[in-house]
Amino acid sequence: MTAPLGEFDLIARYFTRPVRRAVLGVGDDCALLAAPAANEQIAISSDMLVEGRHFLPGADPAALGHKALAVNLSDLAAVGARPHAFTLALALPKADPRWLEGFARGLFALAEAHDIELVGGDTTRGPRNLCITVLGLVPRGQALLRSGARPGDDLWVSGTVGDARLALGHRLGEWTLDAQTQAATFARMDRPEPRVALGLALRGVAQAALDISDGLLADLGHLLRASRVGATVDADACPASAALAAQPLQRRRLCQLAGGDDYELLFTAPPAARNAVAAAAAQAATPVTRIGRIDAEPGLRLIDASGQVLDNVYAGFDHFRTP
């Protein structure tokens, strides 16, 4: 009979990797990182994924490993930071080798793709909870902030939005998707791709930025409040995948405007920078779409393609208000 894994065996077997940039990685009381260059700043962000709140019991562990890191890398992308290192705090109901192997495989595949290394963390027994803290580097004074939007700016979004919410609706029984649509949208929900390359390319081009995690309009509201401006958004300009475009109009709008888990970048830039935005998108191999404008008048105005004003009934996700 195989002996159960202890905490330190678990860490050594699944999460200890050689580090290249850290002075000291996993295994001591603290990791040691070399100080950044004098002209750089450290960007830090933490996100947790809680079973039953952010993912369903029985979710694929490899996809969870990918997503736990991806949502944090998306925060680095939003400020234009280059990924550097991360820590992992992991609560598990039991030390299941099969689950741990899959989780580590998904986690490190994405870490290697973005050249970021695990340098420390913690494990404990408890309800399944995955918490990652990422550290990135950004040239001093060049970080993209939520507070930089100015009246007259174009409002842009990367990629397509709404697929993750469409997939969630199927899983929750709100609607039924065919097998092909399930395959396309579940991939977007379970394995989001953080737009790190685009965030780096937008430094010096975008005025303000953030990533879409709680819903396009909800997250835009954060940017508008930080910048003390308003916005007009064309609901019909929001980019949709072929799978989402085939859905009924009201479902599509719900998924695009109120759906979370997209992890695309929402950003503003002056109209004079449209060519620079296009060049940044090409450099990052990531499509971007202009969906509205920033206004001096406070508030958020929603219109359709004909300019008709729409009621804004699209509330996003709130950790303490959403059931």
Side-chain angles (χ1 to χ4, degrees), residues 96-135:
D96 178 349
R98 180 175 297 181
W99 190 95
L100 285 161
E101 190 281 328
F103 178 83
R105 184 174 68 252
L107 178 78
F108 286 116
L110 187 63
E112 290 165 7
H114 288 276
D115 195 25
I116 187 172
E117 54 190 21
L118 177 63
V119 297
D122 192 23
T123 59
T124 189
R125 182 189 294 269
R128 202 180 310 272
N129 185 344
L130 325 170
C131 183
I132 284 180
T133 297
V134 287
L135 296 91

Side-chain angles (χ1 to χ4, degrees), residues 229-285:
V229 293
T232 299
V233 174
D234 180 352
D236 294 330
C238 294
S241 68
L244 186 58
Q247 302 299 310
L249 177 62
Q250 291 307 313
R251 183 183 301 172
R252 175 174 62 78
R253 285 181 174 166
L254 170 68
C255 291
Q256 291 194 294
L257 301 175
D261 265 7
D262 287 311
Y263 300 102
E264 296 290 351
L265 295 187
L266 186 67
F267 62 96
T268 79
R274 288 176 185 175
N275 287 341
V277 169
Q283 178 183 332

Side-chain angles (χ1 to χ4, degrees), residues 43-47 70-81 134 146 194 211 213 263 265:
I44 304 173
S45 182
S46 292
D47 264 304
V71 302
N72 284 274
L73 289 174
S74 184
D75 286 332
L76 293 184
V79 300
V134 287
R146 298 179 180 187
D211 73 331
S213 56
Y263 300 102
L265 295 187

Side-chain angles (χ1 to χ4, degrees), residues 144-313:
L144 303 174
L145 306 177
R146 298 179 180 187
S147 57
R150 298 293 180 263
D153 279 0
D154 292 328
L155 181 64
W156 299 83
V157 68
S158 67
T160 62
V161 291
D163 279 354
R165 179 65 179 87
L166 186 62
L168 179 63
H170 176 88
R171 285 180 172 170
L172 296 179
E174 294 177 315
W175 45 70
T176 301
L177 306 176
D178 61 45
Q180 184 176 358
T181 303
Q182 288 180 50
T185 58
F186 285 7
R188 291 291 306 277
M189 180 180 182
D190 296 336
R191 294 180 178 270
E193 288 300 326
R195 301 302 191 180
V196 174
L198 180 62
L200 296 176
L202 286 173
R203 289 194 315 224
V205 177
Q207 299 266 63
L210 81 175
D211 73 331
I212 301 174
S213 56
D214 297 330
L216 189 154
L217 295 187
D219 287 314
L220 174 57
H222 303 321
L223 187 151
L224 299 183
R225 285 188 290 274
S227 295
R228 299 183 179 181
V229 293
T232 299
V233 174
D234 180 352
D236 294 330
C238 294
S241 68
L244 186 58
Q247 302 299 310
L249 177 62
Q250 291 307 313
R251 183 183 301 172
R252 175 174 62 78
R253 285 181 174 166
L254 170 68
C255 291
Q256 291 194 294
L257 301 175
D261 265 7
D262 287 311
Y263 300 102
E264 296 290 351
L265 295 187
L266 186 67
F267 62 96
T268 79
R274 288 176 185 175
N275 287 341
V277 169
Q283 178 183 332
T286 303
V288 296
T289 304
R290 187 157 45 93
I291 63 168
R293 67 174 184 270
I294 298 298
D295 304 325
E297 180 185 355
L300 176 57
R301 287 154 290 280
L302 193 61
I303 61 173
D304 64 15
S306 68
Q308 183 73 29
V309 176
L310 302 175
D311 289 335
N312 182 5
V313 294

